Amino acid sequence: YDVTGNPIYFHRMDGAAIVGMETSRRKGITALKSGATSGEVDVFFEDAGIAGGLIAIQSDWMGNPGGVPVIVDGHLIGSVGAGGMGQQPDHECASAAANVVIPPDQRPAD
């Protein structure tokens, strides 16, 4: 996603579940709006209990791993979201995609 939340590129693999499209979108938006990975935001939602769930629903956020912010020189410039493979694979896929867009030597360490 670009800094305004608009998708730059979207791809659904053959045979991938339809729900993965929505989870990847929401994870990417969560990373963009929070400036943190969607997995890190998940901790906030868990700690906030019912209020955290309401915030997630109303803000279109998703607190599961798979959303990664893209930060260059301390500036949030976009995000990547992945969904449909499971939490850890989603995070790894999103991180790998972010590293293709912005090489690791140009991004701060996770």
Side-chain angles (χ1 to χ4, degrees):
Y1 294 88
D2 67 15
V3 73
T4 64
N6 293 303
I8 296 171
Y9 177 79
F10 184 88
H11 178 77
R12 178 177 160 248
M13 296 174 63
D14 291 341
I18 298 295
V19 71
M21 295 179 352
E22 180 63 13
T23 60
S24 66
R25 182 190 71 76
R26 291 183 68 186
K27 291 174 186 183
I29 292 298
T30 299
L32 181 68
K33 290 181 178 180
S34 69
T37 69
S38 57
E40 293 168 329
V41 172
D42 190 34
V43 173
F44 166 78
F45 290 146
E46 287 177 8
D47 291 345
I50 293 171
L54 293 173
I55 292 168
I57 291 168
Q58 292 177 342
S59 63
D60 202 24
W61 289 23
M62 183 167 205
N64 287 4
V68 176
V70 178
I71 300 170
V72 175
D73 294 330
H75 299 283
L76 179 66
I77 65 164
S79 67
V80 175
M85 298 172 288
Q87 293 184 13
Q88 188 59 33
D90 288 351
H91 176 76
E92 291 170 2
C93 181
S95 292
N99 287 336
V100 168
V101 175
I102 305 295
D105 63 340
Q106 295 178 17
R107 298 180 66 208
D110 284 338

